[in-house]
Amino acid sequence: MIIVLLGPPGSGKGTQAKRLISEVKWPQLSTGDMLRSAIGAGSQLGKEAKSFMDRGALVPDSVVVQLIADRTRNEDCRAGFVLDGFPRTLPQAEALDQMLATRGRGIDHAVLFDVPDADLLERLTGRRTCAKCGAMYHLQAAQPKKQGICDQCGSALIQREDDRAEVIKKRLEVYHAQTSPLIEYYKKQEKLKTVNATQAPDLVFQAFKKILY
Ligand code: AP5
């Protein structure tokens, strides 16, 4: 199964993708995580991506399309994969459809995690992530047992550079201008499913799974 996760920054795409892949064999392909790894590794790609990400802008389509084209050739994607944060523009969605068609495949569902903008600022400014294993926390809603330390691997929790209020505002603008047209795109293909993602994470996950199996 090939699943696209759609939704504004902070809507819970990463949270729900992680829950899903703990139950199924498909990998989570997060372009945001891939780009942050490239930044961490100090590669040329990382240097270029950082200048866009730090100001809340999208990295050029050609860069992310190539990342996904390469990554989905891996053996672990044969049975399916979960796209988290890709596609994010109409050209990316069209490139994905074309790429999958040449491989005799296609996406099964585009799942929209629906949350109003008013809820997102608090979610994102409060988010903390493990620098080592990527586990996710929230200062109020999902606290680690020991402040600032990951429950799973004991490493330090960090705040993402783009989770500052002024950058979040820009990311939301970018989402509405460049990514939200994908809702109509997948509606026309009859692949769009919407989940009320204002509910608690467990309830969101139940609704998400009902769509899939
Ligand atoms: P990316 O890393 O993809 O960020 P994003 O889409 O902005 O999404 P987030 O990771 O911020 O949020 P999420 O929906 O995954 O929510 P999460 O589960 O973490 O992209 C970052 C940047 O990379 C982009 O700005 C761009 O520059 C670049 N980029 C990436 N992909 C690209 C592409 N395809 N094209 C071009 N550029 C690209 O949850 C957030 C918080 O809320 C957490 O603290 C969590 O604990 C909490 N939470 C989750 N669910 C709930 C709930 N139900 N109730 C209460 N709190 C909740």
Side-chain angles (χ1 to χ4, degrees):
M1 197 178 281
I2 299 176
I3 306 161
V4 166
L5 305 187
L6 283 177
S11 56
K13 304 180 295 293
T15 301
Q16 297 300 327
K18 283 188 174 59
R19 285 181 177 226
L20 182 65
I21 61 159
S22 69
E23 291 194 2
V24 297
K25 287 209 169 72
W26 320 314
Q28 170 194 8
L29 310 187
S30 157
T31 36
D33 287 348
M34 290 177 195
L35 294 167
R36 280 184 289 277
S37 292
I39 293 172
S43 66
Q44 188 54 36
L45 165 67
K47 282 179 193 141
E48 280 169 31
K50 189 170 175 5
S51 65
F52 294 95
M53 293 168 78
D54 280 355
R55 58 190 157 92
L58 294 182
V59 172
D61 289 338
S62 56
V63 173
V64 284
V65 167
Q66 195 58 49
L67 275 179
I68 289 296
D70 292 344
R71 177 64 183 83
T72 51
R73 281 197 192 93
N74 282 14
E75 183 59 30
D76 66 345
C77 291
R78 190 181 281 264
F81 46 89
V82 182
L83 289 165
D84 164 11
F86 179 93
R88 240 170 159 108
T89 62
L90 282 172
Q92 289 180 24
E94 287 160 0
L96 174 66
D97 281 346
Q98 278 163 24
M99 179 192 88
L100 292 174
T102 62
R103 299 177 189 177
R105 306 180 79 174
I107 75 151
D108 294 277
H109 302 289
V111 182
L112 170 66
F113 293 97
D114 196 23
V115 182
D117 284 9
D119 294 4
L120 297 170
L121 186 67
E122 201 214 320
R123 280 195 190 187
L124 290 172
T125 50
R127 172 167 57 187
R128 295 293 180 273
T129 313
C130 175
K132 194 169 173 202
C133 74
M136 207 143 27
Y137 300 87
H138 189 274
L139 289 181
Q140 281 84 39
Q143 297 177 1
K145 292 190 185 92
K146 196 169 164 200
Q147 199 186 346
I149 303 292
C150 178
D151 292 347
Q152 291 178 29
C153 74
S155 301
L157 301 183
I158 54 159
Q159 181 174 28
R160 265 170 51 175
E161 288 281 334
D162 58 353
D163 278 348
R164 287 172 290 123
E166 66 277 16
V167 186
I168 293 169
K169 195 167 163 269
K170 172 71 183 169
R171 285 161 66 200
L172 287 171
E173 281 169 21
V174 167
Y175 172 78
H176 290 296
Q178 299 191 53
T179 308
S180 66
L182 297 185
I183 296 171
E184 202 49 44
Y185 180 83
Y186 288 117
K187 214 183 258 176
K188 279 198 185 128
Q189 293 190 1
E190 298 183 359
K191 294 197 170 146
L192 186 79
K193 310 281 158 39
T194 302
V195 172
N196 171 6
T198 61
Q199 310 171 87
D202 286 348
L203 296 177
V204 176
F205 190 49
Q206 277 175 27
F208 180 29
K209 281 204 299 184
K210 240 186 221 165
I211 290 166
L212 308 180
Y213 42 82

